[in-house]
mmCIF file of all heavy atoms in Angstrom:
data_model
loop_
_atom_site.group_PDB
_atom_site.id
_atom_site.type_symbol
_atom_site.label_atom_id
_atom_site.label_comp_id
_atom_site.label_asym_id
_atom_site.label_seq_id
_atom_site.Cartn_x
_atom_site.Cartn_y
_atom_site.Cartn_z
ATOM 1 N N GLY A 134 -7.651 8.696 20.721
ATOM 2 C CA GLY A 134 -8.249 8.715 19.395
ATOM 3 C C GLY A 134 -7.912 9.937 18.567
ATOM 4 O O GLY A 134 -8.541 10.186 17.531
ATOM 5 N N ASN A 135 -6.905 10.693 19.000
ATOM 6 C CA ASN A 135 -6.488 11.880 18.257
ATOM 7 C C ASN A 135 -5.281 11.566 17.383
ATOM 8 O O ASN A 135 -4.511 10.649 17.660
ATOM 9 C CB ASN A 135 -6.135 13.008 19.230
ATOM 10 C CG ASN A 135 -7.325 13.441 20.063
ATOM 11 O OD1 ASN A 135 -8.417 13.643 19.530
ATOM 12 N ND2 ASN A 135 -7.128 13.568 21.363
ATOM 13 N N LEU A 136 -5.103 12.357 16.332
ATOM 14 C CA LEU A 136 -3.985 12.149 15.418
ATOM 15 C C LEU A 136 -2.661 12.522 16.064
ATOM 16 O O LEU A 136 -2.567 13.516 16.780
ATOM 17 C CB LEU A 136 -4.179 12.980 14.145
ATOM 18 C CG LEU A 136 -5.333 12.576 13.225
ATOM 19 C CD1 LEU A 136 -5.441 13.556 12.066
ATOM 20 C CD2 LEU A 136 -5.145 11.153 12.703
ATOM 21 N N ASP A 137 -1.656 11.707 15.818
ATOM 22 C CA ASP A 137 -0.288 11.991 16.240
ATOM 23 C C ASP A 137 0.577 11.903 14.988
ATOM 24 O O ASP A 137 1.154 10.869 14.684
ATOM 25 C CB ASP A 137 0.167 10.986 17.305
ATOM 26 C CG ASP A 137 1.629 11.177 17.699
ATOM 27 O OD1 ASP A 137 2.187 12.258 17.395
ATOM 28 O OD2 ASP A 137 2.224 10.257 18.280
ATOM 29 N N LEU A 138 0.607 12.980 14.237
ATOM 30 C CA LEU A 138 1.333 13.043 12.971
ATOM 31 C C LEU A 138 2.185 14.309 12.968
ATOM 32 O O LEU A 138 1.654 15.405 12.823
ATOM 33 C CB LEU A 138 0.359 13.076 11.781
ATOM 34 C CG LEU A 138 -0.616 11.900 11.640
ATOM 35 C CD1 LEU A 138 -1.636 12.190 10.550
ATOM 36 C CD2 LEU A 138 0.146 10.622 11.321
ATOM 37 N N SER A 139 3.492 14.158 13.129
ATOM 38 C CA SER A 139 4.350 15.341 13.171
ATOM 39 C C SER A 139 5.724 15.036 12.577
ATOM 40 O O SER A 139 5.901 15.052 11.362
ATOM 41 C CB SER A 139 4.475 15.847 14.613
ATOM 42 O OG SER A 139 4.918 14.805 15.487
ATOM 43 N N LYS A 140 6.691 14.733 13.431
ATOM 44 C CA LYS A 140 8.054 14.487 12.960
ATOM 45 C C LYS A 140 8.132 13.255 12.060
ATOM 46 O O LYS A 140 8.849 13.246 11.058
ATOM 47 C CB LYS A 140 8.996 14.331 14.156
ATOM 48 C CG LYS A 140 9.169 15.606 14.975
ATOM 49 C CD LYS A 140 10.136 15.377 16.134
ATOM 50 C CE LYS A 140 10.306 16.662 16.939
ATOM 51 N NZ LYS A 140 11.232 16.452 18.100
ATOM 52 N N GLY A 141 7.418 12.220 12.427
ATOM 53 C CA GLY A 141 7.411 11.009 11.611
ATOM 54 C C GLY A 141 6.792 11.261 10.251
ATOM 55 O O GLY A 141 7.266 10.745 9.233
ATOM 56 N N LEU A 142 5.719 12.048 10.217
ATOM 57 C CA LEU A 142 5.080 12.397 8.954
ATOM 58 C C LEU A 142 6.045 13.172 8.067
ATOM 59 O O LEU A 142 6.158 12.904 6.865
ATOM 60 C CB LEU A 142 3.824 13.229 9.214
ATOM 61 C CG LEU A 142 3.154 13.850 7.985
ATOM 62 C CD1 LEU A 142 2.767 12.777 6.968
ATOM 63 C CD2 LEU A 142 1.922 14.657 8.408
ATOM 64 N N ARG A 143 6.761 14.123 8.659
ATOM 65 C CA ARG A 143 7.722 14.911 7.895
ATOM 66 C C ARG A 143 8.792 14.010 7.266
ATOM 67 O O ARG A 143 9.120 14.131 6.084
ATOM 68 C CB ARG A 143 8.376 15.959 8.784
ATOM 69 C CG ARG A 143 9.363 16.882 8.037
ATOM 70 C CD ARG A 143 10.058 17.822 9.017
ATOM 71 N NE ARG A 143 9.106 18.665 9.682
ATOM 72 C CZ ARG A 143 8.593 19.785 9.169
ATOM 73 N NH1 ARG A 143 8.951 20.168 7.946
ATOM 74 N NH2 ARG A 143 7.728 20.510 9.847
ATOM 75 N N LYS A 144 9.324 13.084 8.067
ATOM 76 C CA LYS A 144 10.374 12.194 7.566
ATOM 77 C C LYS A 144 9.855 11.299 6.439
ATOM 78 O O LYS A 144 10.545 11.065 5.450
ATOM 79 C CB LYS A 144 10.933 11.328 8.699
ATOM 80 C CG LYS A 144 11.747 12.093 9.728
ATOM 81 C CD LYS A 144 12.394 11.166 10.741
ATOM 82 C CE LYS A 144 13.502 10.344 10.119
ATOM 83 N NZ LYS A 144 14.253 9.567 11.118
ATOM 84 N N ALA A 145 8.624 10.813 6.588
ATOM 85 C CA ALA A 145 8.041 9.944 5.577
ATOM 86 C C ALA A 145 7.827 10.703 4.263
ATOM 87 O O ALA A 145 8.115 10.179 3.175
ATOM 88 C CB ALA A 145 6.712 9.363 6.070
ATOM 89 N N LEU A 146 7.319 11.920 4.360
ATOM 90 C CA LEU A 146 7.092 12.728 3.167
ATOM 91 C C LEU A 146 8.415 13.068 2.480
ATOM 92 O O LEU A 146 8.519 13.000 1.244
ATOM 93 C CB LEU A 146 6.345 14.008 3.531
ATOM 94 C CG LEU A 146 4.854 13.856 3.890
ATOM 95 C CD1 LEU A 146 4.305 15.153 4.475
ATOM 96 C CD2 LEU A 146 4.047 13.447 2.664
ATOM 97 N N GLU A 147 9.405 13.423 3.268
ATOM 98 C CA GLU A 147 10.717 13.757 2.699
ATOM 99 C C GLU A 147 11.341 12.542 2.019
ATOM 100 O O GLU A 147 11.911 12.654 0.928
ATOM 101 C CB GLU A 147 11.641 14.291 3.798
ATOM 102 C CG GLU A 147 11.240 15.663 4.323
ATOM 103 C CD GLU A 147 12.085 16.129 5.499
ATOM 104 O OE1 GLU A 147 12.778 15.264 6.102
ATOM 105 O OE2 GLU A 147 12.043 17.325 5.845
ATOM 106 N N PHE A 148 11.217 11.388 2.649
ATOM 107 C CA PHE A 148 11.823 10.178 2.093
ATOM 108 C C PHE A 148 11.146 9.760 0.787
ATOM 109 O O PHE A 148 11.827 9.502 -0.223
ATOM 110 C CB PHE A 148 11.739 9.041 3.107
ATOM 111 C CG PHE A 148 12.300 7.741 2.607
ATOM 112 C CD1 PHE A 148 13.670 7.589 2.399
ATOM 113 C CD2 PHE A 148 11.477 6.659 2.334
ATOM 114 C CE1 PHE A 148 14.200 6.386 1.930
ATOM 115 C CE2 PHE A 148 11.994 5.457 1.865
ATOM 116 C CZ PHE A 148 13.361 5.329 1.660
ATOM 117 N N GLN A 149 9.819 9.704 0.799
ATOM 118 C CA GLN A 149 9.127 9.272 -0.411
ATOM 119 C C GLN A 149 9.291 10.296 -1.532
ATOM 120 O O GLN A 149 9.393 9.926 -2.713
ATOM 121 C CB GLN A 149 7.634 9.036 -0.128
ATOM 122 C CG GLN A 149 6.893 8.365 -1.263
ATOM 123 C CD GLN A 149 7.431 6.985 -1.606
ATOM 124 O OE1 GLN A 149 7.871 6.241 -0.731
ATOM 125 N NE2 GLN A 149 7.405 6.624 -2.882
ATOM 126 N N ASN A 150 9.367 11.573 -1.185
ATOM 127 C CA ASN A 150 9.598 12.608 -2.196
ATOM 128 C C ASN A 150 10.983 12.446 -2.825
ATOM 129 O O ASN A 150 11.158 12.648 -4.030
ATOM 130 C CB ASN A 150 9.453 13.993 -1.580
ATOM 131 C CG ASN A 150 9.538 15.099 -2.621
ATOM 132 O OD1 ASN A 150 8.724 15.179 -3.534
ATOM 133 N ND2 ASN A 150 10.546 15.955 -2.502
ATOM 134 N N LYS A 151 11.951 12.060 -2.007
ATOM 135 C CA LYS A 151 13.304 11.838 -2.522
ATOM 136 C C LYS A 151 13.323 10.664 -3.500
ATOM 137 O O LYS A 151 13.926 10.736 -4.574
ATOM 138 C CB LYS A 151 14.278 11.588 -1.376
ATOM 139 C CG LYS A 151 15.752 11.533 -1.792
ATOM 140 C CD LYS A 151 16.659 11.492 -0.555
ATOM 141 C CE LYS A 151 18.131 11.605 -0.967
ATOM 142 N NZ LYS A 151 18.617 10.473 -1.726
ATOM 143 N N LEU A 152 12.645 9.572 -3.131
ATOM 144 C CA LEU A 152 12.571 8.413 -4.016
ATOM 145 C C LEU A 152 11.918 8.782 -5.347
ATOM 146 O O LEU A 152 12.355 8.331 -6.413
ATOM 147 C CB LEU A 152 11.762 7.294 -3.357
ATOM 148 C CG LEU A 152 12.316 6.614 -2.105
ATOM 149 C CD1 LEU A 152 11.311 5.597 -1.581
ATOM 150 C CD2 LEU A 152 13.653 5.950 -2.381
ATOM 151 N N THR A 153 10.873 9.611 -5.262
ATOM 152 C CA THR A 153 10.067 9.923 -6.443
ATOM 153 C C THR A 153 10.676 11.020 -7.316
ATOM 154 O O THR A 153 10.794 10.854 -8.542
ATOM 155 C CB THR A 153 8.646 10.346 -6.019
ATOM 156 O OG1 THR A 153 8.062 9.303 -5.223
ATOM 157 C CG2 THR A 153 7.764 10.606 -7.236
ATOM 158 N N ASN A 154 11.077 12.104 -6.699
ATOM 159 C CA ASN A 154 11.450 13.295 -7.478
ATOM 160 C C ASN A 154 12.937 13.632 -7.498
ATOM 161 O O ASN A 154 13.358 14.472 -8.298
ATOM 162 C CB ASN A 154 10.660 14.499 -6.957
ATOM 163 C CG ASN A 154 9.162 14.344 -7.174
ATOM 164 O OD1 ASN A 154 8.720 14.000 -8.264
ATOM 165 N ND2 ASN A 154 8.381 14.563 -6.115
ATOM 166 N N VAL A 155 13.728 12.991 -6.639
ATOM 167 C CA VAL A 155 15.168 13.242 -6.634
ATOM 168 C C VAL A 155 15.907 12.031 -7.214
ATOM 169 O O VAL A 155 16.573 12.109 -8.245
ATOM 170 C CB VAL A 155 15.679 13.563 -5.214
ATOM 171 C CG1 VAL A 155 17.197 13.805 -5.255
ATOM 172 C CG2 VAL A 155 14.958 14.786 -4.647
ATOM 173 N N ASP A 156 15.747 10.880 -6.550
ATOM 174 C CA ASP A 156 16.378 9.663 -7.055
ATOM 175 C C ASP A 156 15.693 9.154 -8.322
ATOM 176 O O ASP A 156 16.329 8.490 -9.153
ATOM 177 C CB ASP A 156 16.320 8.551 -5.995
ATOM 178 C CG ASP A 156 17.063 8.903 -4.725
ATOM 179 O OD1 ASP A 156 17.967 9.764 -4.786
ATOM 180 O OD2 ASP A 156 16.748 8.318 -3.666
ATOM 181 N N LYS A 157 14.400 9.443 -8.415
ATOM 182 C CA LYS A 157 13.574 8.988 -9.550
ATOM 183 C C LYS A 157 13.634 7.466 -9.717
ATOM 184 O O LYS A 157 13.802 6.934 -10.822
ATOM 185 C CB LYS A 157 13.998 9.693 -10.845
ATOM 186 C CG LYS A 157 13.819 11.209 -10.800
ATOM 187 C CD LYS A 157 14.114 11.855 -12.127
ATOM 188 C CE LYS A 157 14.022 13.380 -12.064
ATOM 189 N NZ LYS A 157 12.702 13.855 -11.651
ATOM 190 N N VAL A 158 13.490 6.773 -8.585
ATOM 191 C CA VAL A 158 13.467 5.313 -8.605
ATOM 192 C C VAL A 158 12.064 4.767 -8.368
ATOM 193 O O VAL A 158 11.843 3.554 -8.357
ATOM 194 C CB VAL A 158 14.441 4.742 -7.544
ATOM 195 C CG1 VAL A 158 15.869 5.123 -7.880
ATOM 196 C CG2 VAL A 158 14.065 5.213 -6.139
ATOM 197 N N SER A 159 11.112 5.671 -8.156
ATOM 198 C CA SER A 159 9.715 5.312 -7.925
ATOM 199 C C SER A 159 8.854 6.303 -8.701
ATOM 200 O O SER A 159 9.106 7.508 -8.651
ATOM 201 C CB SER A 159 9.381 5.374 -6.426
ATOM 202 O OG SER A 159 8.018 5.076 -6.190
ATOM 203 N N PRO A 160 7.864 5.841 -9.446
ATOM 204 C CA PRO A 160 7.037 6.760 -10.234
ATOM 205 C C PRO A 160 6.143 7.630 -9.363
ATOM 206 O O PRO A 160 5.922 7.328 -8.186
ATOM 207 C CB PRO A 160 6.211 5.820 -11.113
ATOM 208 C CG PRO A 160 6.111 4.563 -10.317
ATOM 209 C CD PRO A 160 7.434 4.438 -9.601
ATOM 210 N N GLN A 161 5.628 8.694 -9.937
ATOM 211 C CA GLN A 161 4.692 9.537 -9.210
ATOM 212 C C GLN A 161 3.380 8.786 -9.009
ATOM 213 O O GLN A 161 3.032 7.890 -9.785
ATOM 214 C CB GLN A 161 4.450 10.832 -9.974
ATOM 215 C CG GLN A 161 5.650 11.766 -9.971
ATOM 216 C CD GLN A 161 5.313 13.150 -10.484
ATOM 217 O OE1 GLN A 161 4.407 13.312 -11.297
ATOM 218 N NE2 GLN A 161 6.045 14.146 -10.015
ATOM 219 N N PRO A 162 2.650 9.132 -7.954
ATOM 220 C CA PRO A 162 1.392 8.427 -7.677
ATOM 221 C C PRO A 162 0.368 8.659 -8.776
ATOM 222 O O PRO A 162 0.339 9.715 -9.410
ATOM 223 C CB PRO A 162 0.937 9.032 -6.343
ATOM 224 C CG PRO A 162 1.594 10.382 -6.298
ATOM 225 C CD PRO A 162 2.924 10.189 -6.961
ATOM 226 N N SER A 163 -0.456 7.655 -8.983
ATOM 227 C CA SER A 163 -1.524 7.763 -9.977
ATOM 228 C C SER A 163 -2.654 8.609 -9.403
ATOM 229 O O SER A 163 -3.026 8.462 -8.239
ATOM 230 C CB SER A 163 -2.049 6.378 -10.342
ATOM 231 O OG SER A 163 -3.156 6.464 -11.210
ATOM 232 N N VAL A 164 -3.175 9.496 -10.220
ATOM 233 C CA VAL A 164 -4.289 10.346 -9.797
ATOM 234 C C VAL A 164 -5.471 10.081 -10.712
ATOM 235 O O VAL A 164 -5.483 10.473 -11.876
ATOM 236 C CB VAL A 164 -3.911 11.844 -9.852
ATOM 237 C CG1 VAL A 164 -5.105 12.691 -9.409
ATOM 238 C CG2 VAL A 164 -2.700 12.124 -8.986
ATOM 239 N N GLY A 165 -6.462 9.368 -10.192
ATOM 240 C CA GLY A 165 -7.623 9.024 -11.001
ATOM 241 C C GLY A 165 -7.306 7.927 -11.999
ATOM 242 O O GLY A 165 -6.157 7.621 -12.285
ATOM 243 N N GLY A 166 -8.342 7.312 -12.529
ATOM 244 C CA GLY A 166 -8.142 6.260 -13.516
ATOM 245 C C GLY A 166 -7.663 4.957 -12.898
ATOM 246 O O GLY A 166 -7.521 4.818 -11.689
ATOM 247 N N GLU A 167 -7.359 4.006 -13.738
ATOM 248 C CA GLU A 167 -6.940 2.678 -13.288
ATOM 249 C C GLU A 167 -5.470 2.687 -12.882
ATOM 250 O O GLU A 167 -4.617 3.236 -13.582
ATOM 251 C CB GLU A 167 -7.157 1.659 -14.395
ATOM 252 C CG GLU A 167 -6.850 0.226 -13.982
ATOM 253 C CD GLU A 167 -7.150 -0.761 -15.097
ATOM 254 O OE1 GLU A 167 -7.717 -0.325 -16.121
ATOM 255 O OE2 GLU A 167 -6.815 -1.939 -14.936
ATOM 256 N N VAL A 168 -5.168 2.103 -11.737
ATOM 257 C CA VAL A 168 -3.797 2.016 -11.251
ATOM 258 C C VAL A 168 -3.182 0.719 -11.760
ATOM 259 O O VAL A 168 -3.691 -0.372 -11.508
ATOM 260 C CB VAL A 168 -3.749 2.050 -9.709
ATOM 261 C CG1 VAL A 168 -2.313 1.912 -9.234
ATOM 262 C CG2 VAL A 168 -4.357 3.347 -9.183
ATOM 263 N N VAL A 169 -2.072 0.834 -12.491
ATOM 264 C CA VAL A 169 -1.391 -0.336 -13.019
ATOM 265 C C VAL A 169 -0.465 -0.905 -11.950
ATOM 266 O O VAL A 169 0.309 -0.166 -11.329
ATOM 267 C CB VAL A 169 -0.581 0.024 -14.281
ATOM 268 C CG1 VAL A 169 0.191 -1.193 -14.779
ATOM 269 C CG2 VAL A 169 -1.507 0.556 -15.375
ATOM 270 N N ASP A 170 -0.557 -2.198 -11.697
ATOM 271 C CA ASP A 170 0.316 -2.850 -10.728
ATOM 272 C C ASP A 170 1.646 -3.149 -11.423
ATOM 273 O O ASP A 170 1.791 -4.154 -12.117
ATOM 274 C CB ASP A 170 -0.334 -4.145 -10.222
ATOM 275 C CG ASP A 170 0.420 -4.773 -9.054
ATOM 276 O OD1 ASP A 170 1.649 -4.584 -8.983
ATOM 277 O OD2 ASP A 170 -0.225 -5.449 -8.237
ATOM 278 N N LEU A 171 2.612 -2.256 -11.246
ATOM 279 C CA LEU A 171 3.895 -2.390 -11.929
ATOM 280 C C LEU A 171 4.678 -3.609 -11.452
ATOM 281 O O LEU A 171 5.438 -4.202 -12.214
ATOM 282 C CB LEU A 171 4.732 -1.120 -11.724
ATOM 283 C CG LEU A 171 4.171 0.155 -12.353
ATOM 284 C CD1 LEU A 171 5.066 1.345 -12.010
ATOM 285 C CD2 LEU A 171 4.047 0.010 -13.856
ATOM 286 N N PHE A 172 4.488 -3.991 -10.194
ATOM 287 C CA PHE A 172 5.187 -5.162 -9.679
ATOM 288 C C PHE A 172 4.673 -6.423 -10.370
ATOM 289 O O PHE A 172 5.452 -7.237 -10.875
ATOM 290 C CB PHE A 172 5.012 -5.274 -8.167
ATOM 291 C CG PHE A 172 5.740 -6.448 -7.560
ATOM 292 C CD1 PHE A 172 7.113 -6.404 -7.383
ATOM 293 C CD2 PHE A 172 5.058 -7.591 -7.182
ATOM 294 C CE1 PHE A 172 7.805 -7.488 -6.830
ATOM 295 C CE2 PHE A 172 5.728 -8.682 -6.628
ATOM 296 C CZ PHE A 172 7.104 -8.623 -6.457
ATOM 297 N N ALA A 173 3.364 -6.593 -10.410
ATOM 298 C CA ALA A 173 2.776 -7.765 -11.055
ATOM 299 C C ALA A 173 3.099 -7.795 -12.544
ATOM 300 O O ALA A 173 3.265 -8.875 -13.129
ATOM 301 C CB ALA A 173 1.265 -7.780 -10.855
#
């Protein structure tokens, strides 16, 4: 029941950050307010 978040977490953060802030193919996450479903 303990957390196992290490190398996989690092890879996930690096990948999603690349999509968002380097490739700019995914918008930044919404913070507060209503989340618009861009797919729909």
